[in-house]
């Protein structure tokens, strides 16, 4: 059967190579301007060219995000930017603002256009409107239910895309002014400081300065704090509804998150594709997603109004496993090369993970630290940014990750 495209974020070149390796059919990324996610790292012009070439060499489609809402004073820069990237063979641009769409039409008329979630397409009439504008794919708002999605997919002839995993806003995506109001950094320009996850206090208006704590339980309260979206268990109805692409949120998330999410959804989709009638979600997949940084999972609006079950009452992100290294080279003689990301020590129990749920355990041992001159010295403790030589399980390959699970006691 024809599976929908699995579309992953690629905030940096390293994340892009991880996305390709861990099973994305397509990636989306931003240039240095107009792509939202101002803090995602983003790509210079040369890096964009290299990213497109890398993706196409690996049979992966690549989309450029141009989905901010630029005010009039930015239009000249936008036009210059669009002319600069016009020669790069992106498979599509992701746009939200009709003005940007119009400019792209003038500068790169051949370019396919995908409608961003920032356009908040919330019903089938809106989808039909965008189809009439010549948009080649429509991202359906996260606030739609499964019935809404089904009806919209049937109403239009262009493919529809839905988010299946990642952070949710407490407002319609892109319609939130909290960050602009409190910090001057606009979510609509890609600079959200995420004040929806801050702690708030109450002030009675005739008693300025008297800040009363808001306490619903021992952790206080997080009145704007939404859980993250996870639709792993809803894949069959989404696939039966005929959606054309499944999108993962998170250009600013790390490589462990990206690899973990992708290997789960890639495996789930391929399993479904082989035998839709016999498909069952493996509990190990959901378990893997809970090892990654998240704020509790919910199905968002898919099954109806989330009300209080969509709210996260704990402040922080939670995750059980920590990335400690990236395999750069595997050697059977016990001298594999590892780039260290976080501290670990000889004797630590580690997991090696790779695409399609590949997993092995090992105990860190026999570590040699490489120095700038190419020398190697034994070490008991590995620190971030060091490179190590150490033995790894036979399944290891370049691009696999090493992570530390929580202690078992
Ligand atoms: S403050 Fe929170 S709800 Fe608002 S745009 Fe940022 S992440 Fe979304």
């Amino acid at each position: 059967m024809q599976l929908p495209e699995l579309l992953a974020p690629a905030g940096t070149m390293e994340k892009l190579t991880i996305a390709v390796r861990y099973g994305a059919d397509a990636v989306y990324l931003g240039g240095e301007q107009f792509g939202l996610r101002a803090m995602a790292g983003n790509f210079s012009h040369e890096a964009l060219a290299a990213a497109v070439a890398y993706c196409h060499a690996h049979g992966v489609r690549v989309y450029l995000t141009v989905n901010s809402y630029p005010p009039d004073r930015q239009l000249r820069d936008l036009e210059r930017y669009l002319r600069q990237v016009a020669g790069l063979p992106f498979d599509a641009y992701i746009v939200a603002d009709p003005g940007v769409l119009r400019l792209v039409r003038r500068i790169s008329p051949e370019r396919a256009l995908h409608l961003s979630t920032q356009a908040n397409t919330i019903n089938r009439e809106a989808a039909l409107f965008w189809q009439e504008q010549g948009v080649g794919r429509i991202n359906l708002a996260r606030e739609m239910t499964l019935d809404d999605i089904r009806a919209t997919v049937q109403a239009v002839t262009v493919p529809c895309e839905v988010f299946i995993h990642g952070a949710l806003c407490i407002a319609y995506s892109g319609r939130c002014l909290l960050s602009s109001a409190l910090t001057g950094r606009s979510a609509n320009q890609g600079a959200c400081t995420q004040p929806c996850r801050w702690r708030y206090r109450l002030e009675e208006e005739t008693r300025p300065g008297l800040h009363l704590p808001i306490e619903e339980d021992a952790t206080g309260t997080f009145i704007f704090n939404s859980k993250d979206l996870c639709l792993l268990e809803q894949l069959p109805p989404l696939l039966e509804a005929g959606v054309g692409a499944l999108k993962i949120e998170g250009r600013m998330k790390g490589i462990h998150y990206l690899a973990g999410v992708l290997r789960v959804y890639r495996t789930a989709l391929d399993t479904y594709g082989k035998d839709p009638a016999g498909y069952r979600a493996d509990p190990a997949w959901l378990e893997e997603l809970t090892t990654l940084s998240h704020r509790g999972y919910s199905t968002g609006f898919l099954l109806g109004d989330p009300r209080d079950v969509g709210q996260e009452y704990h402040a922080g992100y939670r995750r059980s496993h920590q990335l400690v290294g990236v395999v750069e080279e595997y050697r059977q003689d016990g001298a594999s090369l590892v780039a260290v990301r976080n501290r670990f020590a000889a004797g630590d129990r580690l997991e090696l993970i790779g695409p399609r749920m590949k997993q092995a355990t090992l105990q860190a041992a026999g570590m040699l630290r490489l120095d700038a001159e190419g020398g190697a010295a034994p070490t008991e403790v590995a620190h971030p940014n060091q490179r190590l030589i150490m033995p790894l399980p036979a399944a290891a390959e370049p691009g696999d990750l090493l992570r530390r699970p929580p202690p078992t006691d």
Side-chain angles (χ1 to χ4, degrees):
M1 71 172 292
Q2 177 73 29
L3 289 170
E5 175 187 278
L6 184 57
L7 173 56
T12 62
M13 195 64 190
E14 184 186 35
K15 292 177 195 173
L16 183 140
T17 57
I18 288 281
V20 169
R21 178 165 153 68
Y22 283 77
D25 298 309
V27 299
Y28 60 100
L29 48 83
E32 287 172 329
Q33 290 174 287
F34 304 108
L36 294 188
R37 302 294 167 269
M39 293 167 284
N42 294 328
F43 289 77
S44 66
H45 185 74
E46 293 68 32
L48 284 178
V52 176
Y54 183 87
C55 287
H56 287 169
H58 289 83
V60 168
R61 293 176 287 280
V62 53
Y63 310 136
L64 180 71
T65 54
V66 199
N67 57 342
S68 68
Y69 281 88
D72 241 40
R73 64 180 178 279
Q74 291 180 1
L75 288 182
R76 194 172 298 174
D77 281 349
L78 173 61
E79 194 167 336
R80 198 175 304 127
Y81 174 69
L82 290 174
R83 290 194 189 287
Q84 203 183 31
V85 293
L88 301 177
F90 282 103
D91 296 280
Y93 290 168
I94 300 176
V95 301
D97 174 49
V100 175
L101 185 150
R102 194 166 179 275
L103 265 179
V104 174
R105 275 281 147 65
R106 186 148 57 75
I107 294 165
S108 300
E110 75 297 343
R111 188 75 71 213
L113 291 170
H114 293 179
L115 192 69
S116 166
T117 191
Q118 305 298 124
N120 309 125
T121 305
I122 190 74
N123 57 54
R124 60 180 186 272
E125 286 297 324
L128 285 164
F129 168 83
W130 286 111
Q131 179 174 289
E132 284 162 13
Q133 306 312 309
V135 163
R137 179 191 290 185
I138 300 167
N139 182 289
L140 302 184
R142 292 171 172 98
E143 293 78 13
M144 288 173 82
T145 65
L146 186 58
D147 287 343
D148 297 337
I149 291 171
R150 222 179 262 126
T152 305
V153 169
Q154 281 169 13
V156 296
T157 53
V158 294
C160 292
E161 172 186 284
V162 293
F163 273 102
I164 47 165
H165 199 91
L168 287 170
C169 283
I170 206 75
Y172 274 110
S173 305
R175 298 280 170 98
C176 173
L177 298 174
L178 260 187
S179 184
S180 302
L182 296 182
T183 68
R185 300 177 71 159
S186 166
N188 285 313
Q189 303 295 329
C192 180
T193 52
Q194 304 197 320
C196 59
R197 286 141 218 191
W198 297 353
R199 289 169 185 253
Y200 289 86
R201 287 177 176 254
L202 190 67
E203 186 182 276
E204 196 276 321
E205 70 178 22
T206 64
R207 293 172 176 79
L210 180 61
H211 296 147
L212 305 169
I214 312 172
E215 288 175 353
E216 288 176 326
D217 64 18
T219 61
T221 189
F222 300 93
I223 51 180
F224 304 127
N225 197 27
S226 166
K227 283 183 181 170
D228 290 346
L229 182 71
C230 173
L231 297 185
L232 178 67
E233 290 175 308
Q234 309 304 326
L235 278 186
L238 277 174
L239 299 183
E240 282 153 24
V243 295
L246 303 172
K247 189 167 187 175
I248 296 165
E249 182 274 347
R251 270 187 280 163
M252 296 197 292
K253 294 274 172 67
I255 57 169
H256 180 209
Y257 175 89
L258 184 59
V261 172
L262 266 171
R263 73 194 200 116
V264 166
Y265 283 96
R266 180 76 273 156
T267 305
L269 279 176
D270 292 349
T271 305
Y272 183 92
K274 279 190 204 121
D275 178 14
Y279 175 85
R280 298 283 174 278
D282 185 334
W285 301 340
L286 201 52
E287 210 172 293
E288 168 69 12
L289 294 175
T290 62
T291 68
L292 309 169
S293 167
H294 70 293
R295 294 176 296 153
Y297 287 129
S298 83
T299 52
F301 290 79
L302 194 78
L303 306 178
D305 191 336
R307 297 188 178 272
D308 58 339
V309 293
Q311 179 82 4
E312 174 55 56
Y313 293 101
H314 300 274
Y317 285 90
R318 56 183 90 140
R319 63 146 198 243
S320 59
H321 291 49
Q322 185 184 36
L323 176 74
V324 297
V326 181
V327 178
E328 290 192 338
E329 189 185 324
Y330 172 70
R331 287 184 46 172
Q332 284 181 338
D333 61 4
S336 298
L337 200 57
V338 171
V340 181
R341 294 300 168 91
N342 281 297
R343 183 188 184 281
F344 66 97
D348 281 358
R349 189 171 64 94
L350 302 180
E351 288 178 358
L352 174 101
I353 64 163
R356 292 186 167 71
M357 305 310 290
K358 179 173 78 176
Q359 191 141 337
T361 54
L362 65 145
Q363 197 163 33
M367 304 184 308
L368 298 176
R369 180 167 55 83
L370 286 176
D371 59 34
E373 286 74 46
T379 184
E380 290 292 296
V381 181
H383 294 281
N385 302 319
Q386 290 179 346
R387 294 173 81 222
L388 294 183
I389 290 174
M390 64 184 284
L392 291 178
E397 291 170 284
D400 288 352
L401 305 181
L402 288 174
R403 67 185 184 185
R404 184 178 28 230
T408 42
D409 12 87

